[in-house]
Amino acid sequence: MLILGLLSIALAEGVEVSGDVRLTTDTVSPFVLDELGTTVDRPFVLRSRVILGMRTAVSSNTHLLLGVEGLSGQIAGATTDIGTSIGDDVFRVSRTGPEDLWQVWPRALAIQHKKGRLNTSVGVQTFHWGLGMLSNDGLQSTTFGEANQGNIYLRGALAGAPVLAENPEQSIRLFFATDWILRDDNVSVYDGDTAYQVITGVMQQRNTTYWSFLSGARYQKDREDIYHPDGRTTGWVVPFDFHGKQVLGPMAFELEAVQLMGRTNRIYSEQTRGETSKLQATGFMFQLAPAEKPEDEFAVWASGIGGFASGDNNPTDGVAREFSMHSNANAGLLLFDEIIPMISANAVDRITDPGLSAQPPASLRYAVNQGTVSGSAYLQLLGHVQYKRTKAKLGYLYAHRTAALADPYTTGISGGYPVGFGGVDVDNRSLGHEIDLRLRAGFGQQMRYVLVGEGGYFIPGSALSGVLDSPVWGVHSRLQIQWGAF
C-alpha cells in the first residue's frame, strides 16, 4: 500500500518518486574454518532491502528530498553464532538473524538549493565518490554479489565553480561539506558509534579527461569494547583521495587511489602500552572498460578490474597499516564476502576462550573481516555478452595477500608472532582463484523488473591451505523492482 501511495503521488506535477525493492537468496557449500574441522553450513539465506525516495520542487531553484531504507536484513534461512563471543553486532550486516530488518534508516531528508554557480544542500543524504572505495551510497551496480548498505550523512555542503571556463562544463568545481556520519563501514549510530568529518574537494571534466581530489579530517569514537582498557576507542583520520578517468580510444581507464594518515588507540599491546598509534594505510582500485556503454542489440566486450589494499605484518606495534576497501566495492562472490569473514570470526571466538586467556586482546572486533578487500591485492578479468536487455558476465579473480594472513588465535598462543590459519607459514600469500558467472535479465519501462542469477567457484591458495583443502561453491539470486530515478 505504501508503494502504491507513493506511485500515486508521483503523478502530481513537480514530484518525482523512486524506489528499489529487492529479494536475494544465497547458498554456499559447507567449508572448514580451522584445523579442528569447525564447519560453517548456511545452505539457504533469504534477505530483503527496501529503499523509497521522493524529490519535489519547493521553488524553481529549491528541492526537497525524502528517502528511507528499511526491511534490510535476513528474512529466513540458516543463521550462525560464529563471531558472537564479542557481541551479536560483530558483523556489520548481521548473520545471526533478522535484527537488521527492524532498523529504519533515513537516506534523505534534505533541502537542495541552486543559485547561479553555487549549489547548497543541508540535511540527511547519501554520498558516492569515485569507484566507491571509501564512500559508497549502496546504489551502484556491483561486479558480483550485492551492495548491502550505503553511507549516510547528516550533511551541510556547498559546491560550485568559482570561475567559469570558456566552456562552462570544463570549469574547475569545488565543494566543501561538514558531516555527522550516521552509517558507513566503520560507523553505526544504532550500535553506539559516533563520527564527524570535514571534507573538501576539487574536480574537473575536460574533453576526454576527468580528475578530482578529496581530503579532510575525521574524528570517530567507537562503540564500547569490553576487552579494551579505554572502553570506547577513538581515532583521527586524514584521507587523501584521488579519482581520475581517461578515455583511450574505445576504452576508458579509471583509477581511485587513497592514502590514510592518522592516530588511533585501538591497538593496545606491550609495544604500545596504551599510547596512541599511527595510521598509515594505502589503497587503490582501477578498471579498464569500454568508454561508452554498448547500445547495440547484440554486443560482446571485455573489461578488467584490479585493487590493492596495504597489509600489516606487525599488527601489535605502533603503526596500523592495513587498508580496507568499502564492502560494497565487491571483488568476486565468495572469497571476500563469505570465506575470509567467517574464518576470521571463528578465530576471534577461539581467542576469547577463557581457557586460553583471562583477558583476551583488545579491539578484537576489528580483526573480523566485514566482507571487504583488506590487506590484499586482486585482479579480475571479465567477459560480457549482451542481447537486448539480457546480459551475461564471466569473471576470473586472482587474489594475493599484501601482508601476512595471520590467525589471531594461533598468533596469540605463539607469543604474538604472526602464524597463518591452521599453522601455515605466513610467507604463503596466495589466497586463491575464483570463477564467477552472472546472468541478468530486465523487463518493463516505468516499473522495471530485474532478475539476476550468479554462481561462484573458489579454489583456495596456499595462504588458506591450513584450513581449506577443497573448493567452495556458491549461488546467489536477486529479484529487484525499481521505479523512478533508480
Side-chain angles (χ1 to χ4, degrees):
M1 292 299 293
L2 177 60
I3 294 174
L4 293 176
L6 286 174
L7 285 174
S8 66
I9 293 174
L11 298 177
E13 185 177 354
V15 177
E16 302 172 10
V17 172
S18 57
D20 183 303
V21 179
R22 65 180 64 182
L23 288 173
T24 64
T25 67
D26 287 281
T27 296
V28 179
S29 64
F31 59 92
V32 176
L33 303 175
D34 56 38
E35 73 280 3
L36 301 179
T38 304
T39 301
V40 59
D41 186 7
R42 301 179 74 205
F44 177 79
V45 174
L46 175 66
R47 297 180 57 86
S48 66
R49 189 180 80 166
V50 177
I51 298 177
L52 303 175
M54 184 178 75
R55 184 176 186 266
T56 183
V58 178
S59 68
S60 60
N61 295 323
T62 305
H63 289 83
L64 170 66
L65 279 67
L66 302 174
V68 65
E69 175 184 329
L71 298 178
S72 181
Q74 182 171 335
I75 298 175
T79 60
T80 179
D81 59 0
I82 291 173
T84 57
S85 60
I86 58 174
D88 292 339
D89 59 349
V90 64
F91 282 113
R92 182 183 55 82
V93 177
S94 177
R95 303 180 185 221
T96 61
E99 300 88 353
D100 292 347
L101 281 174
W102 319 126
Q103 292 186 356
V104 178
W105 290 93
R107 288 183 64 95
L109 181 57
I111 290 287
Q112 292 182 340
H113 179 74
K114 182 176 182 180
K115 185 175 182 180
R117 299 195 300 267
L118 183 64
N119 295 313
T120 306
S121 63
V122 178
V124 176
Q125 50 201 289
T126 59
F127 180 59
H128 189 89
W129 176 266
L131 292 171
M133 279 178 53
L134 285 185
S135 190
N136 192 302
D137 62 9
L139 297 177
Q140 310 303 311
S141 176
T142 59
T143 308
F144 294 101
E146 292 295 322
N148 289 304
Q149 296 179 349
N151 295 17
I152 304 174
Y153 309 91
L154 177 58
R155 165 169 289 185
L158 299 172
V163 179
L164 288 180
E166 183 176 345
N167 181 349
E169 293 183 356
Q170 296 184 3
S171 300
I172 293 177
R173 291 172 291 154
L174 306 176
F175 77 90
F176 174 82
T178 59
D179 299 325
W180 173 25
I181 303 167
L182 304 182
R183 182 181 74 183
D184 66 12
D185 264 13
N186 293 289
V187 168
S188 169
V189 293
Y190 285 142
D191 292 327
D193 304 308
T194 55
Y196 309 93
Q197 68 181 14
V198 176
I199 58 173
T200 186
V202 57
M203 63 192 72
Q204 183 184 34
Q205 175 73 57
R206 191 172 181 85
N207 299 324
T208 59
T209 302
Y210 169 84
W211 65 270
S212 59
F213 180 77
L214 176 148
S215 188
R218 168 176 172 144
Y219 171 77
Q220 177 168 333
K221 190 170 186 178
D222 302 319
R223 69 195 72 175
E224 189 74 23
D225 185 341
I226 60 174
Y227 297 125
H228 200 290
D230 293 333
R232 297 187 64 185
T233 52
T234 60
W236 280 96
V237 181
V238 176
F240 301 94
D241 188 324
F242 170 82
H243 174 228
K245 185 174 183 179
Q246 178 65 54
V247 175
L248 304 167
M251 304 297 286
F253 178 78
E254 190 170 3
L255 169 72
E256 183 177 1
V258 179
Q259 176 68 40
L260 299 179
M261 308 290 289
R263 309 283 302 187
T264 181
N265 66 342
R266 285 182 180 178
I267 301 174
Y268 192 92
S269 65
E270 290 187 6
Q271 291 170 277
T272 63
R273 297 186 181 275
E275 298 295 324
T276 59
S277 302
K278 294 180 181 179
L279 171 62
Q280 297 176 356
T282 305
F284 65 80
M285 183 177 176
F286 66 87
Q287 68 175 14
L288 183 66
E292 300 291 338
K293 183 180 178 181
E295 298 293 344
D296 295 338
E297 185 175 271
F298 177 77
V300 179
W301 71 96
S303 63
I305 303 174
F308 172 92
S310 62
D312 197 339
N313 282 316
N314 190 355
T316 62
D317 69 358
V319 182
R321 305 173 184 87
E322 186 155 295
F323 185 93
S324 293
M325 297 185 186
H326 198 286
S327 57
N328 288 344
N330 301 56
L333 189 63
L334 295 170
L335 173 62
F336 293 108
D337 274 356
E338 295 288 343
I339 296 171
I340 291 182
M342 296 308 299
I343 288 176
S344 61
N346 179 70
V348 165
D349 279 348
R350 297 180 73 189
I351 201 171
T352 56
D353 185 339
L356 174 66
S357 173
Q359 179 61 45
S363 299
L364 281 176
R365 176 184 309 279
Y366 307 104
V368 178
N369 185 284
Q370 298 294 322
T372 68
V373 176
S374 179
S376 304
Y378 73 92
L379 179 64
Q380 190 167 41
L381 304 177
L382 302 164
H384 310 255
V385 178
Q386 173 180 291
Y387 178 68
K388 295 183 178 180
R389 297 181 65 183
T390 301
K391 299 178 181 180
K393 180 193 303 180
L394 179 64
Y396 163 75
L397 171 74
Y398 174 71
H400 197 89
R401 286 290 296 181
T402 57
L405 182 63
D407 176 359
Y409 172 74
T410 53
T411 297
I413 63 176
S414 301
Y417 297 99
V419 180
F421 287 92
V424 302
D425 193 320
V426 292
D427 288 335
N428 292 305
R429 300 290 178 87
S430 174
L431 289 170
H433 310 261
E434 184 171 325
I435 301 294
D436 299 299
L437 175 66
R438 168 184 283 187
L439 300 176
R440 181 187 188 277
F443 312 91
Q445 297 298 326
Q446 290 187 334
M447 185 75 78
R448 303 181 300 278
Y449 302 89
V450 179
L451 295 174
V452 175
E454 297 180 341
Y457 189 79
F458 174 73
I459 302 172
S462 58
L464 295 170
S465 59
V467 292
L468 287 178
D469 58 4
S470 59
V472 179
W473 59 265
V475 177
H476 173 77
S477 69
R478 181 205 314 157
L479 168 62
Q480 188 172 9
I481 306 173
Q482 295 180 314
W483 62 94
F486 286 104

